Amino acid sequence: MDIDYLIVGAGTAGCVLASRLSEDSARQVVLLEAGPEGDECAGDAEYDWGLRATVTAGRVDGLARGKVVGGSARVNGMGAVRAPARDYHAWAALGLPAWGWDRVLESYRRIETDLEYGDQPHHGGSGPVPITRRPREQWIAPVSALVEAVQAAGHRYCPGMNAPDASGIGPYPHNRRGTARMPTSLTHLAPARSRQNLTVRADLPVERVVVRDGRATGVLAGGEFIAAREVILCAGTPLSAVLLLRSGIGPAGDLREAGVAVVADLPGVGRNLYDQPGAVIPALPVHGAVPEGAPMTEVIARLAAIPGHQRDDGFYLCPFAGPPPGGTETMITIMVGDLNPASRGTITLTGPSPGDPPRIDLGYYTAPGDLGRMRAAYRHAWSIAQHEAYARIVDRFYGVSDELVASDESLNGLLHAMTFSRLALLGGAAMGPSDDASAVVGEDCRVRGVDGLRGVDLSIVPVVLRAPTALDAIMIGEHAATLITA
Ligand SMILES: Cc1cc2nc3c(=O)[nH]c(=O)nc-3n(C[C@H](O)[C@H](O)[C@H](O)COP(=O)(O)OP(=O)(O)OC[C@H]3O[C@@H](n4cnc5c(N)ncnc54)[C@H](O)[C@@H]3O)c2cc1C
């Protein structure tokens, strides 16, 4: 069989791309996935890559990434919030107009059926991904209390967080049908599986892309060479960058240091990695405030005008209810995140073989101002948590106090010890115009300096996306398909 498109990674973007490219029966499409097909009954931990990353100042923590058909959206929180339009304006302003808001909006609309809004100028009514929100009358007490407290702090209530440039606090859009998760392995891949021109192979980790005379000719997977006219990496951040590096495509110095022969010297591979640092305000609720089996998250906030900072819609708040990971006691937590950090991280190899773990440094708080932004966000969230509506449902806060939050030194200590990844990783193989030496892919997702190779997932994102990112990954699969088949 002559393969036209060999897609590496049956994740959030990869399943969309495989489905869209195989719509034309003249194209032979093969989709390879390192993880298994997956079983709905299995725990998420079974489908994790077990990656580790440096979080802050040398502290290393686990970095969850889905290793299963469906990818990270198979194990995620089902949040489906678009990045603001202005993030895509910024993408276009880099000299990449095909990724501007007006263009990607059509792709966002095509992927979704918004069960509350339906077919509207900014929402889709007939796409495969159902988007829904829990009605206000079903919110549990801590959620209603937080919304009241956030509004009392001067932020607005926003019923439609997927409207362009939505800001404030409002119902959290989810990609689910009832309580059933709807990853793209179900919405896009499952209906396409019966096509004769689409082959899906799970449990087959790709070791590297094979490049001959400047052209990708296929991949090595499980010791087998699989030839294709074009290889498309959809392994996500950070693993698409890892695959490029292992294939000899990356900064020449880094590659030599890791013992990998240089195929193409691309300085931007493994750079421009960014993610949203998160921290929590944990509390024990008063008895009965969180009914058994209550949903974990029902609202989300993207807030501007935090005291001490310019207006940038950069702060995220989200209430969670339920036992913390590994715990049994029900807690309520307010998650605080910086959606717009300036810090950037790196991905490098520790050795040439697939068994050598990548070295991932998230670089949190390394850019001037980021730690101060997070302190301001945390203090703002703490003041919201003191509002009488929220305080009414709190029995006691856990490990946080007025004194701790008031002192820069103590709060820095808490943030350095507590900060975790919000798992909204972007970049590592970022897009850029032809005069940008750090660009890894061009507007058409083609990898610079290597023919027959593209990247289509969140690793190509060259700007901050102030969103939890899963919906953006689905959109990227859809949008890239329109560009590839145009
Ligand atoms: C635990 C968790 C919770 C999250 N919660 C939310 C949330 O509530 N809302 C939200 O918006 N976002 C959330 N996210 C983030 C979001 O799910 C991801 O950003 C998004 O799904 C990534 O899409 P992707 O297509 O870029 O990569 P992925 O979906 O990760 O897909 C990459 C695929 O490539 C495969 N792969 C990698 N390397 C290879 C290889 N060498 N060979 C073959 N296959 C390979 C992987 O196994 C995977 O299936 C969460 C993420 C995690 C991990």
Side-chain angles (χ1 to χ4, degrees):
M1 176 178 60
D2 282 348
I3 301 171
D4 295 301
Y5 295 108
L6 183 59
I7 300 173
V8 180
T12 313
C15 288
V16 178
L17 191 66
S19 156
R20 292 280 279 103
L21 292 181
S22 62
E23 278 170 0
D24 181 342
S25 60
R27 294 186 202 117
Q28 286 296 333
V29 179
V30 171
L31 177 60
L32 304 181
E33 167 57 41
E37 285 286 350
D39 172 353
E40 290 306 326
C41 303
D44 292 350
E46 288 183 46
Y47 303 137
D48 188 67
W49 277 87
L51 298 174
R52 312 274 300 157
T54 302
V55 182
T56 61
R59 186 166 57 84
V60 174
D61 205 352
L63 185 69
R65 293 283 93 188
K67 186 179 184 181
V68 61
V69 172
S72 295
R74 186 75 180 267
V75 297
N76 75 6
M78 295 187 270
V81 182
R82 296 176 184 173
R86 66 175 78 105
D87 293 345
Y88 289 94
H89 296 325
W91 192 329
L94 294 175
L96 302 161
W99 293 84
W101 175 249
D102 292 347
R103 302 284 294 278
V104 303
L105 174 60
E106 287 315 305
S107 296
Y108 274 124
R109 292 186 68 242
R110 267 197 306 277
I111 57 178
E112 71 176 20
T113 292
D114 192 307
L115 298 173
E116 279 76 48
Y117 286 87
D119 196 8
Q120 290 193 24
H122 295 117
H123 296 287
S126 54
V129 179
I131 304 290
T132 190
R133 302 147 188 84
R134 192 170 297 276
R136 200 168 181 157
E137 50 283 6
Q138 291 178 17
W139 291 353
I140 60 172
V143 170
S144 304
L146 184 73
V147 172
E148 189 183 334
V150 167
Q151 288 182 267
H155 302 288
R156 70 187 191 94
Y157 180 70
C158 175
M161 290 300 289
N162 275 345
D165 292 323
S167 149
I169 188 162
Y172 200 153
H174 281 175
N175 56 323
R176 57 179 164 78
R177 194 175 291 289
T179 55
R181 172 187 298 283
M182 296 300 284
T184 55
S185 48
L186 281 182
T187 59
H188 286 77
L189 188 60
R193 277 183 185 256
S194 57
R195 294 176 189 157
Q196 299 294 310
N197 61 325
L198 173 64
T199 306
V200 183
R201 295 180 66 184
D203 290 309
L204 193 56
V206 169
E207 287 139 36
R208 64 181 174 89
V209 180
V210 177
V211 181
R212 288 205 185 99
D213 301 326
R215 181 170 194 88
T217 56
V219 301
L220 264 188
E224 178 190 352
F225 173 65
I226 307 172
R229 290 203 177 87
E230 183 165 329
V231 175
I232 307 181
L233 300 183
C234 296
T237 303
L239 293 171
S240 279
V242 169
L243 266 174
L244 286 169
L245 293 170
R246 235 192 267 132
S247 311
I249 303 165
D254 287 9
L255 294 175
R256 287 196 194 100
E257 204 172 302
V260 177
V262 180
V263 168
D265 180 12
L266 272 189
V269 179
R271 303 295 194 267
N272 299 317
L273 168 71
Y274 47 109
D275 186 27
Q276 303 159 6
V280 289
I281 297 176
L284 287 168
V286 294
H287 183 71
V290 182
E292 206 170 317
M296 292 271 289
T297 57
E298 299 173 53
V299 294
I300 185 169
R302 182 162 50 213
L303 302 180
I306 300 287
H309 285 288
Q310 81 261 36
R311 177 183 170 79
D312 75 346
D313 287 324
F315 294 102
Y316 161 95
L317 286 184
C318 186
F320 283 81
T328 50
E329 203 167 4
T330 290
M331 307 271 284
I332 46 174
T333 54
I334 301 175
M335 193 193 280
V336 187
D338 183 356
L339 300 174
N340 192 9
S343 303
R344 295 292 179 264
T346 54
I347 305 155
T348 47
L349 298 182
T350 57
S353 85
D356 297 318
R359 191 187 296 113
I360 304 162
D361 186 341
L362 298 172
Y364 292 155
Y365 307 140
T366 51
D370 272 7
L371 185 56
R373 281 169 59 87
M374 195 63 172
R375 272 199 316 265
Y378 198 89
R379 282 185 177 133
H380 190 56
W382 179 248
S383 73
I384 285 170
Q386 308 312 307
H387 183 269
E388 57 176 6
Y390 199 75
R392 258 200 313 272
I393 50 91
V394 169
D395 180 52
R396 65 193 148 90
F397 288 101
Y398 205 80
V400 190
S401 62
D402 282 333
E403 297 70 44
L404 189 155
V405 173
S407 145
D408 278 4
E409 201 186 340
S410 324
L411 190 49
N412 286 350
L414 179 83
L415 290 174
H416 275 299
M418 173 194 269
T419 296
F420 50 83
S421 166
R422 291 221 326 100
L423 304 171
L425 294 140
L426 302 168
M431 186 179 289
S434 52
D435 60 352
D436 175 357
S438 70
V440 177
V441 302
E443 200 174 35
D444 54 3
C445 305
R446 288 185 191 280
V447 174
R448 290 273 195 77
V450 182
D451 291 335
L453 182 61
R454 298 193 212 225
V456 175
D457 56 27
L458 290 174
S459 68
I460 66 170
V461 175
V463 293
V464 164
L465 294 182
R466 283 167 281 187
T469 66
L471 197 57
D472 307 297
I474 302 174
M475 181 284 291
I476 286 171
E478 169 68 29
H479 198 62
T482 61
L483 296 176
I484 292 170
T485 57

